[in-house]
mmCIF file of all heavy atoms in Angstrom:
data_model
loop_
_atom_site.group_PDB
_atom_site.id
_atom_site.type_symbol
_atom_site.label_atom_id
_atom_site.label_comp_id
_atom_site.label_asym_id
_atom_site.label_seq_id
_atom_site.Cartn_x
_atom_site.Cartn_y
_atom_site.Cartn_z
ATOM 1 N N ARG A 25 -15.327 41.110 179.591
ATOM 2 C CA ARG A 25 -14.548 41.142 180.843
ATOM 3 C C ARG A 25 -13.508 42.266 180.804
ATOM 4 O O ARG A 25 -13.317 42.999 181.778
ATOM 5 C CB ARG A 25 -13.857 39.789 181.064
ATOM 6 C CG ARG A 25 -13.208 39.646 182.425
ATOM 7 C CD ARG A 25 -14.235 39.724 183.528
ATOM 8 N NE ARG A 25 -13.691 39.430 184.833
ATOM 9 C CZ ARG A 25 -14.362 39.613 185.962
ATOM 10 N NH1 ARG A 25 -15.608 40.081 185.941
ATOM 11 N NH2 ARG A 25 -13.810 39.322 187.127
ATOM 12 N N ALA A 26 -12.815 42.377 179.667
ATOM 13 C CA ALA A 26 -11.782 43.419 179.534
ATOM 14 C C ALA A 26 -12.393 44.816 179.653
ATOM 15 O O ALA A 26 -11.760 45.743 180.180
ATOM 16 C CB ALA A 26 -11.058 43.260 178.202
ATOM 17 N N ALA A 27 -13.639 44.958 179.182
ATOM 18 C CA ALA A 27 -14.310 46.265 179.231
ATOM 19 C C ALA A 27 -14.594 46.704 180.668
ATOM 20 O O ALA A 27 -14.811 47.885 180.924
ATOM 21 C CB ALA A 27 -15.611 46.205 178.436
ATOM 22 N N THR A 28 -14.570 45.765 181.608
ATOM 23 C CA THR A 28 -14.791 46.127 183.018
ATOM 24 C C THR A 28 -13.492 46.599 183.677
ATOM 25 O O THR A 28 -13.483 46.940 184.856
ATOM 26 C CB THR A 28 -15.336 44.925 183.825
ATOM 27 O OG1 THR A 28 -14.316 43.919 183.888
ATOM 28 C CG2 THR A 28 -16.604 44.360 183.222
ATOM 29 N N GLY A 29 -12.387 46.569 182.921
ATOM 30 C CA GLY A 29 -11.102 47.003 183.459
ATOM 31 C C GLY A 29 -10.196 45.845 183.861
ATOM 32 O O GLY A 29 -9.073 46.049 184.307
ATOM 33 N N SER A 30 -10.678 44.639 183.674
ATOM 34 C CA SER A 30 -9.875 43.462 184.031
ATOM 35 C C SER A 30 -8.785 43.236 182.974
ATOM 36 O O SER A 30 -9.006 43.484 181.789
ATOM 37 C CB SER A 30 -10.793 42.243 184.113
ATOM 38 O OG SER A 30 -10.044 41.095 184.377
ATOM 39 N N ASP A 31 -7.627 42.786 183.441
ATOM 40 C CA ASP A 31 -6.532 42.475 182.520
ATOM 41 C C ASP A 31 -6.752 41.043 182.024
ATOM 42 O O ASP A 31 -6.549 40.084 182.771
ATOM 43 C CB ASP A 31 -5.200 42.611 183.265
ATOM 44 C CG ASP A 31 -4.049 42.841 182.308
ATOM 45 O OD1 ASP A 31 -4.287 42.884 181.081
ATOM 46 O OD2 ASP A 31 -2.911 42.974 182.788
ATOM 47 N N VAL A 32 -7.173 40.911 180.775
ATOM 48 C CA VAL A 32 -7.613 39.604 180.262
ATOM 49 C C VAL A 32 -6.607 39.035 179.266
ATOM 50 O O VAL A 32 -6.112 39.742 178.395
ATOM 51 C CB VAL A 32 -9.000 39.739 179.583
ATOM 52 C CG1 VAL A 32 -9.418 38.422 178.935
ATOM 53 C CG2 VAL A 32 -10.053 40.188 180.586
ATOM 54 N N LEU A 33 -6.340 37.740 179.416
ATOM 55 C CA LEU A 33 -5.535 37.011 178.436
ATOM 56 C C LEU A 33 -6.446 36.012 177.728
ATOM 57 O O LEU A 33 -7.113 35.204 178.385
ATOM 58 C CB LEU A 33 -4.387 36.261 179.136
ATOM 59 C CG LEU A 33 -3.527 35.371 178.227
ATOM 60 C CD1 LEU A 33 -2.694 36.204 177.261
ATOM 61 C CD2 LEU A 33 -2.609 34.465 179.052
ATOM 62 N N LEU A 34 -6.469 36.075 176.423
ATOM 63 C CA LEU A 34 -7.234 35.097 175.637
ATOM 64 C C LEU A 34 -6.233 34.087 175.068
ATOM 65 O O LEU A 34 -5.362 34.446 174.287
ATOM 66 C CB LEU A 34 -7.988 35.804 174.506
ATOM 67 C CG LEU A 34 -8.774 34.910 173.542
ATOM 68 C CD1 LEU A 34 -9.893 34.147 174.238
ATOM 69 C CD2 LEU A 34 -9.356 35.738 172.391
ATOM 70 N N VAL A 35 -6.358 32.842 175.495
ATOM 71 C CA VAL A 35 -5.454 31.793 175.023
ATOM 72 C C VAL A 35 -6.136 31.035 173.887
ATOM 73 O O VAL A 35 -7.211 30.463 174.078
ATOM 74 C CB VAL A 35 -5.096 30.813 176.174
ATOM 75 C CG1 VAL A 35 -4.280 29.642 175.638
ATOM 76 C CG2 VAL A 35 -4.335 31.533 177.272
ATOM 77 N N ASP A 36 -5.498 31.049 172.733
ATOM 78 C CA ASP A 36 -6.027 30.300 171.597
ATOM 79 C C ASP A 36 -5.360 28.924 171.599
ATOM 80 O O ASP A 36 -4.212 28.780 171.208
ATOM 81 C CB ASP A 36 -5.733 31.054 170.289
ATOM 82 C CG ASP A 36 -6.430 30.412 169.098
ATOM 83 O OD1 ASP A 36 -6.994 29.311 169.273
ATOM 84 O OD2 ASP A 36 -6.426 31.019 168.017
ATOM 85 N N ALA A 37 -6.099 27.923 172.062
ATOM 86 C CA ALA A 37 -5.546 26.568 172.133
ATOM 87 C C ALA A 37 -6.160 25.668 171.063
ATOM 88 O O ALA A 37 -6.102 24.447 171.158
ATOM 89 C CB ALA A 37 -5.802 25.988 173.527
ATOM 90 N N ASP A 38 -6.739 26.296 170.061
ATOM 91 C CA ASP A 38 -7.352 25.546 168.959
ATOM 92 C C ASP A 38 -6.425 25.631 167.757
ATOM 93 O O ASP A 38 -6.001 26.732 167.379
ATOM 94 C CB ASP A 38 -8.718 26.181 168.634
ATOM 95 C CG ASP A 38 -9.484 25.416 167.567
ATOM 96 O OD1 ASP A 38 -8.910 24.485 166.965
ATOM 97 O OD2 ASP A 38 -10.649 25.756 167.334
ATOM 98 N N ASP A 39 -6.102 24.490 167.152
ATOM 99 C CA ASP A 39 -5.180 24.514 166.008
ATOM 100 C C ASP A 39 -5.770 25.267 164.817
ATOM 101 O O ASP A 39 -5.061 25.656 163.902
ATOM 102 C CB ASP A 39 -4.785 23.096 165.601
ATOM 103 C CG ASP A 39 -5.984 22.236 165.282
ATOM 104 O OD1 ASP A 39 -6.741 21.914 166.213
ATOM 105 O OD2 ASP A 39 -6.187 21.914 164.109
ATOM 106 N N GLN A 40 -7.087 25.500 164.824
ATOM 107 C CA GLN A 40 -7.672 26.309 163.738
ATOM 108 C C GLN A 40 -7.396 27.801 163.924
ATOM 109 O O GLN A 40 -7.576 28.592 163.003
ATOM 110 C CB GLN A 40 -9.175 26.069 163.665
ATOM 111 C CG GLN A 40 -9.503 24.673 163.183
ATOM 112 C CD GLN A 40 -10.991 24.469 162.953
ATOM 113 O OE1 GLN A 40 -11.752 25.414 162.809
ATOM 114 N NE2 GLN A 40 -11.399 23.222 162.942
ATOM 115 N N GLU A 41 -6.998 28.164 165.131
ATOM 116 C CA GLU A 41 -6.544 29.528 165.464
ATOM 117 C C GLU A 41 -7.582 30.605 165.125
ATOM 118 O O GLU A 41 -7.231 31.719 164.741
ATOM 119 C CB GLU A 41 -5.211 29.821 164.762
ATOM 120 C CG GLU A 41 -4.132 28.836 165.178
ATOM 121 C CD GLU A 41 -2.791 29.079 164.519
ATOM 122 O OE1 GLU A 41 -2.719 29.882 163.577
ATOM 123 O OE2 GLU A 41 -1.806 28.460 164.969
ATOM 124 N N THR A 42 -8.845 30.285 165.278
ATOM 125 C CA THR A 42 -9.900 31.241 164.919
ATOM 126 C C THR A 42 -9.926 32.435 165.865
ATOM 127 O O THR A 42 -10.144 33.568 165.428
ATOM 128 C CB THR A 42 -11.277 30.543 164.911
ATOM 129 O OG1 THR A 42 -11.160 29.319 164.200
ATOM 130 C CG2 THR A 42 -12.329 31.410 164.234
ATOM 131 N N SER A 43 -9.689 32.202 167.145
ATOM 132 C CA SER A 43 -9.750 33.353 168.058
ATOM 133 C C SER A 43 -8.556 34.289 167.827
ATOM 134 O O SER A 43 -8.669 35.497 168.040
ATOM 135 C CB SER A 43 -9.872 32.911 169.523
ATOM 136 O OG SER A 43 -8.749 32.232 169.938
ATOM 137 N N SER A 44 -7.426 33.740 167.357
ATOM 138 C CA SER A 44 -6.290 34.610 167.005
ATOM 139 C C SER A 44 -6.636 35.433 165.762
ATOM 140 O O SER A 44 -6.325 36.625 165.693
ATOM 141 C CB SER A 44 -5.033 33.781 166.731
ATOM 142 O OG SER A 44 -4.651 33.086 167.877
ATOM 143 N N ASP A 45 -7.284 34.783 164.798
ATOM 144 C CA ASP A 45 -7.717 35.508 163.594
ATOM 145 C C ASP A 45 -8.727 36.598 163.980
ATOM 146 O O ASP A 45 -8.684 37.710 163.457
ATOM 147 C CB ASP A 45 -8.362 34.551 162.586
ATOM 148 C CG ASP A 45 -7.353 33.588 161.984
ATOM 149 O OD1 ASP A 45 -6.146 33.890 162.045
ATOM 150 O OD2 ASP A 45 -7.758 32.544 161.455
ATOM 151 N N PHE A 46 -9.613 36.236 164.883
ATOM 152 C CA PHE A 46 -10.610 37.213 165.367
ATOM 153 C C PHE A 46 -9.884 38.424 165.970
ATOM 154 O O PHE A 46 -10.244 39.572 165.715
ATOM 155 C CB PHE A 46 -11.507 36.545 166.422
ATOM 156 C CG PHE A 46 -12.430 37.494 167.136
ATOM 157 C CD1 PHE A 46 -13.688 37.769 166.629
ATOM 158 C CD2 PHE A 46 -12.035 38.131 168.311
ATOM 159 C CE1 PHE A 46 -14.544 38.655 167.280
ATOM 160 C CE2 PHE A 46 -12.877 39.014 168.969
ATOM 161 C CZ PHE A 46 -14.129 39.283 168.450
ATOM 162 N N THR A 47 -8.845 38.149 166.756
ATOM 163 C CA THR A 47 -8.120 39.239 167.426
ATOM 164 C C THR A 47 -7.419 40.140 166.409
ATOM 165 O O THR A 47 -7.352 41.362 166.591
ATOM 166 C CB THR A 47 -7.123 38.661 168.457
ATOM 167 O OG1 THR A 47 -7.845 37.825 169.357
ATOM 168 C CG2 THR A 47 -6.428 39.761 169.237
ATOM 169 N N ILE A 48 -6.917 39.532 165.335
ATOM 170 C CA ILE A 48 -6.279 40.337 164.274
ATOM 171 C C ILE A 48 -7.316 41.291 163.672
ATOM 172 O O ILE A 48 -7.071 42.488 163.509
ATOM 173 C CB ILE A 48 -5.672 39.414 163.183
ATOM 174 C CG1 ILE A 48 -4.471 38.651 163.752
ATOM 175 C CG2 ILE A 48 -5.272 40.209 161.946
ATOM 176 C CD1 ILE A 48 -3.971 37.519 162.871
ATOM 177 N N VAL A 49 -8.495 40.746 163.367
ATOM 178 C CA VAL A 49 -9.574 41.582 162.804
ATOM 179 C C VAL A 49 -9.960 42.666 163.806
ATOM 180 O O VAL A 49 -10.150 43.832 163.444
ATOM 181 C CB VAL A 49 -10.810 40.704 162.446
ATOM 182 C CG1 VAL A 49 -11.976 41.563 161.989
ATOM 183 C CG2 VAL A 49 -10.456 39.692 161.374
ATOM 184 N N ARG A 50 -10.048 42.289 165.068
ATOM 185 C CA ARG A 50 -10.440 43.254 166.115
ATOM 186 C C ARG A 50 -9.413 44.386 166.230
ATOM 187 O O ARG A 50 -9.767 45.540 166.362
ATOM 188 C CB ARG A 50 -10.585 42.519 167.453
ATOM 189 C CG ARG A 50 -11.020 43.427 168.590
ATOM 190 C CD ARG A 50 -11.423 42.653 169.826
ATOM 191 N NE ARG A 50 -11.740 43.559 170.917
ATOM 192 C CZ ARG A 50 -12.886 44.204 171.049
ATOM 193 N NH1 ARG A 50 -13.839 44.035 170.155
ATOM 194 N NH2 ARG A 50 -13.094 45.022 172.059
ATOM 195 N N ASN A 51 -8.144 44.001 166.188
ATOM 196 C CA ASN A 51 -7.096 45.030 166.275
ATOM 197 C C ASN A 51 -7.182 46.004 165.100
ATOM 198 O O ASN A 51 -6.937 47.195 165.259
ATOM 199 C CB ASN A 51 -5.717 44.374 166.342
ATOM 200 C CG ASN A 51 -5.355 43.968 167.756
ATOM 201 O OD1 ASN A 51 -5.615 44.706 168.714
ATOM 202 N ND2 ASN A 51 -4.775 42.792 167.918
ATOM 203 N N GLU A 52 -7.536 45.474 163.927
ATOM 204 C CA GLU A 52 -7.694 46.356 162.752
ATOM 205 C C GLU A 52 -8.917 47.251 162.921
ATOM 206 O O GLU A 52 -8.865 48.452 162.681
ATOM 207 C CB GLU A 52 -7.843 45.512 161.477
ATOM 208 C CG GLU A 52 -6.529 44.884 161.029
ATOM 209 C CD GLU A 52 -6.717 43.846 159.929
ATOM 210 O OE1 GLU A 52 -7.858 43.619 159.503
ATOM 211 O OE2 GLU A 52 -5.708 43.234 159.535
ATOM 212 N N THR A 53 -10.025 46.646 163.361
ATOM 213 C CA THR A 53 -11.277 47.407 163.527
ATOM 214 C C THR A 53 -11.106 48.520 164.553
ATOM 215 O O THR A 53 -11.625 49.620 164.377
ATOM 216 C CB THR A 53 -12.417 46.451 163.979
ATOM 217 O OG1 THR A 53 -12.529 45.403 163.024
ATOM 218 C CG2 THR A 53 -13.751 47.174 164.093
ATOM 219 N N LEU A 54 -10.370 48.215 165.616
ATOM 220 C CA LEU A 54 -10.259 49.166 166.729
ATOM 221 C C LEU A 54 -8.879 49.824 166.802
ATOM 222 O O LEU A 54 -8.444 50.224 167.886
ATOM 223 C CB LEU A 54 -10.579 48.464 168.054
ATOM 224 C CG LEU A 54 -11.966 47.799 168.149
ATOM 225 C CD1 LEU A 54 -12.136 47.072 169.456
ATOM 226 C CD2 LEU A 54 -13.065 48.863 168.001
ATOM 227 N N ALA A 55 -8.209 49.889 165.654
ATOM 228 C CA ALA A 55 -6.855 50.458 165.624
ATOM 229 C C ALA A 55 -6.814 51.870 166.220
ATOM 230 O O ALA A 55 -5.861 52.240 166.920
ATOM 231 C CB ALA A 55 -6.333 50.467 164.197
ATOM 232 N N ASP A 56 -7.872 52.662 165.965
ATOM 233 C CA ASP A 56 -7.909 54.045 166.468
ATOM 234 C C ASP A 56 -8.267 54.117 167.948
ATOM 235 O O ASP A 56 -8.158 55.172 168.572
ATOM 236 C CB ASP A 56 -8.950 54.871 165.685
ATOM 237 C CG ASP A 56 -8.615 54.908 164.198
ATOM 238 O OD1 ASP A 56 -7.440 54.655 163.873
ATOM 239 O OD2 ASP A 56 -9.530 55.169 163.394
ATOM 240 N N LYS A 57 -8.765 53.007 168.484
ATOM 241 C CA LYS A 57 -9.237 53.024 169.880
ATOM 242 C C LYS A 57 -8.352 52.196 170.797
ATOM 243 O O LYS A 57 -8.789 51.738 171.866
ATOM 244 C CB LYS A 57 -10.678 52.530 169.933
ATOM 245 C CG LYS A 57 -11.646 53.440 169.185
ATOM 246 C CD LYS A 57 -13.046 52.858 169.151
ATOM 247 C CE LYS A 57 -13.960 53.748 168.319
ATOM 248 N NZ LYS A 57 -15.266 53.135 168.081
ATOM 249 N N GLY A 58 -7.140 51.935 170.360
ATOM 250 C CA GLY A 58 -6.201 51.231 171.235
ATOM 251 C C GLY A 58 -6.156 49.737 171.059
ATOM 252 O O GLY A 58 -5.496 49.032 171.821
ATOM 253 N N GLY A 59 -6.845 49.200 170.062
ATOM 254 C CA GLY A 59 -6.752 47.767 169.767
ATOM 255 C C GLY A 59 -7.728 46.908 170.540
ATOM 256 O O GLY A 59 -8.748 47.391 171.044
ATOM 257 N N ALA A 60 -7.375 45.628 170.625
ATOM 258 C CA ALA A 60 -8.315 44.609 171.122
ATOM 259 C C ALA A 60 -8.805 44.861 172.547
ATOM 260 O O ALA A 60 -9.943 44.574 172.878
ATOM 261 C CB ALA A 60 -7.675 43.229 171.022
ATOM 262 N N GLY A 61 -7.904 45.340 173.406
ATOM 263 C CA GLY A 61 -8.303 45.550 174.806
ATOM 264 C C GLY A 61 -7.949 44.376 175.693
ATOM 265 O O GLY A 61 -8.142 44.413 176.903
ATOM 266 N N TYR A 62 -7.449 43.316 175.075
ATOM 267 C CA TYR A 62 -6.969 42.139 175.830
ATOM 268 C C TYR A 62 -5.726 41.618 175.116
ATOM 269 O O TYR A 62 -5.417 42.024 173.995
ATOM 270 C CB TYR A 62 -8.057 41.053 175.912
ATOM 271 C CG TYR A 62 -8.544 40.569 174.559
ATOM 272 C CD1 TYR A 62 -7.836 39.620 173.821
ATOM 273 C CD2 TYR A 62 -9.707 41.083 173.991
ATOM 274 C CE1 TYR A 62 -8.267 39.196 172.577
ATOM 275 C CE2 TYR A 62 -10.146 40.673 172.739
ATOM 276 C CZ TYR A 62 -9.431 39.729 172.043
ATOM 277 O OH TYR A 62 -9.847 39.322 170.804
ATOM 278 N N THR A 63 -5.020 40.703 175.784
ATOM 279 C CA THR A 63 -3.838 40.096 175.175
ATOM 280 C C THR A 63 -4.216 38.718 174.648
ATOM 281 O O THR A 63 -5.005 38.014 175.277
ATOM 282 C CB THR A 63 -2.718 39.961 176.228
ATOM 283 O OG1 THR A 63 -2.492 41.250 176.797
ATOM 284 C CG2 THR A 63 -1.433 39.442 175.636
ATOM 285 N N SER A 64 -3.665 38.369 173.514
ATOM 286 C CA SER A 64 -3.986 37.065 172.923
ATOM 287 C C SER A 64 -2.706 36.283 172.676
ATOM 288 O O SER A 64 -1.714 36.842 172.194
ATOM 289 C CB SER A 64 -4.721 37.291 171.604
ATOM 290 O OG SER A 64 -4.868 36.092 170.899
#
Side-chain angles (χ1 to χ4, degrees):
Chain A
R25 189 63 173 171
T28 67
S30 177
D31 202 359
V32 175
L33 176 69
L34 177 63
V35 174
D36 188 352
D38 184 352
D39 57 291
Q40 291 187 19
E41 301 180 349
T42 313
S43 65
S44 297
D45 291 340
F46 171 89
T47 305
I48 291 168
V49 175
R50 181 169 176 80
N51 276 319
E52 286 169 1
T53 304
L54 302 177
D56 300 340
K57 296 175 184 171
Y62 58 81
T63 305
S64 171

